[in-house]
Amino acid sequence: MSHTPAHQASGGNAAPAADRSSIIAVTALPVLVVIAGVLGFLLPDAFTPLAPSITWALGVVMFFMGLTLTLPDFARIAKRPWIAVLGVVTQFVAMPLLGLLVVTVYSLPPEIAVGVILVGCAPGGTASNVVTYLSKGDTALSVSITTLSTLCAPVLTPLLTLWLAGSYMDVPFWSMFVSICQTVLVPVIVGVIVRVFASKLIDRISPVLPWLASIAIAYIVAIVVAGSADSIATAGVLVLLAVVTHNLLGLGVGYGVAAACRLDTPTRRALSFEVGLQNSGLASTLATTYFSPLAALPGAVFSVWHNVSGALLASIFARRPYGKPPVDASDREPAVADASSGGATSR
């Protein structure tokens, strides 16, 4: 998913339209992904041949993410560096280790274990920006952490996967590093450059970007499910249980770390979503490319579940007012616009 709205408050009427489109898109994403998964399961022969195009689809999602980033987004990281770094470190420490804990507790078979760990080693999912916005959390911080974790992903994702999943299957570190640079880093950078030189055009089309990202994520899920259709009947429930456990633990740890550091309520909500919601589209793509269709299944299931859990938790948070204003309230516009899977997606 793309987080189009938040930083576009200066974009005139485009920002409110992008806000509405992003919120609707992230709400509809689980439905789109479920439909895509059902189609992939029922028509595997139609989607399996499309597997080589998954990397291109993820590249499109990350390009859309780049289009939604502005230079002030990067300035925010410099303004509150320690909190952004705290979020990234918590994510890249907690989620990989929680993934290892889950696969150990549930005694998952090697291919599924690698898939769960890979999800944990992925950077933050951009859907976290939308649900942070919906929860009345610190959306500017959420975007900063997502951006920073995405930039760190080419090194940290394959390195952590090699460390934690190397005992289950061979992990090609350098190939994954190059792949993440090609499908994540380069498209994001190109998107940022395009936005710098064509900001007015991007503001006009920004309401469409979350929908295009959602469709791309659903496309990835359909192909991933098609590739592992034969295994879903036997492993589907186990994968769902592992994914739900992993996600809920991540949400809890993110909030708990922020609370332990005595950060304010908006920041706690942002860190909860940044840690618990992953770029599962990237995990699925890497698993399909370097491991097996079954290893990609946890990423596909995560794509559905983390949007559902994120939306539910955001609605709970939004109904719980807090007395303290955000620490850096001057950074946030009244109609916050950083709000939107595949996300990418994601995806």
Side-chain angles (χ1 to χ4, degrees), residues 156-298:
L156 293 183
T157 297
L159 189 63
L160 290 169
T161 304
L162 175 63
W163 176 42
L164 297 174
S167 61
Y168 292 96
M169 297 178 71
D170 290 333
V171 178
F173 172 84
W174 287 111
S175 297
M176 288 179 65
F177 170 80
V178 173
S179 180
I180 297 173
C181 287
Q182 292 174 336
T183 60
V184 175
L185 202 57
V186 172
V188 167
I189 292 173
V190 172
V192 171
I193 293 172
V194 170
R195 179 170 180 83
V196 168
F197 291 100
S199 58
K200 291 183 179 179
L201 172 62
I202 301 306
D203 283 341
R204 285 199 294 270
I205 67 171
S206 60
V208 181
L209 297 181
W211 287 101
L212 295 178
S214 296
I215 292 170
I217 292 171
Y219 175 80
I220 292 172
V221 169
I223 297 173
V224 169
V225 170
S228 55
D230 293 339
S231 304
I232 290 178
T234 55
V237 174
L238 186 61
V239 171
L240 178 61
L241 182 62
V243 163
V244 170
T245 304
H246 193 191
N247 170 242
L248 294 181
L249 288 174
L251 291 170
V253 168
Y255 195 94
V257 167
C261 293
R262 305 186 69 178
L263 299 175
D264 61 27
T265 299
T267 303
R268 294 179 189 185
R269 295 177 181 182
L271 260 64
S272 177
F273 290 123
E274 283 304 312
V275 175
L277 275 59
Q278 301 292 90
N279 188 337
S280 47
L282 172 62
S284 293
T285 302
L286 293 174
T288 300
T289 304
Y290 296 108
F291 300 111
S292 70
L294 185 57
L297 190 55

Side-chain angles (χ1 to χ4, degrees), residues 53-89:
S53 66
I54 286 183
T55 54
W56 290 98
L58 178 63
V60 168
V61 174
M62 301 315 298
F63 173 70
F64 290 152
M65 176 184 172
L67 289 179
T68 66
L69 294 175
T70 63
L71 296 181
D73 290 327
F74 295 94
R76 288 190 188 103
I77 297 176
K79 213 168 192 183
R80 302 175 67 192
W82 81 269
I83 298 180
V85 170
L86 174 67
V88 173
V89 170

Side-chain angles (χ1 to χ4, degrees), residues 78-161:
K79 213 168 192 183
R80 302 175 67 192
W82 81 269
I83 298 180
V85 170
L86 174 67
V88 173
V89 170
T90 302
Q91 179 181 58
F92 277 118
V93 171
M95 288 303 280
L97 293 178
L98 288 173
L100 182 63
L101 174 65
V102 167
V103 303
T104 302
V105 169
Y106 291 132
S107 300
L108 299 180
E111 290 176 294
I112 296 177
V114 168
V116 172
I117 291 173
L118 189 51
V119 169
C121 297
T126 51
S128 61
N129 308 145
V130 181
V131 292
T132 298
Y133 169 62
L134 295 178
S135 73
K136 297 181 171 62
D138 189 336
T139 312
L141 176 64
S142 175
V143 172
S144 298
I145 296 174
T146 300
T147 303
L148 190 57
S149 68
T150 300
L151 296 177
C152 294
V155 173
L156 293 183
T157 297
L159 189 63
L160 290 169
T161 304

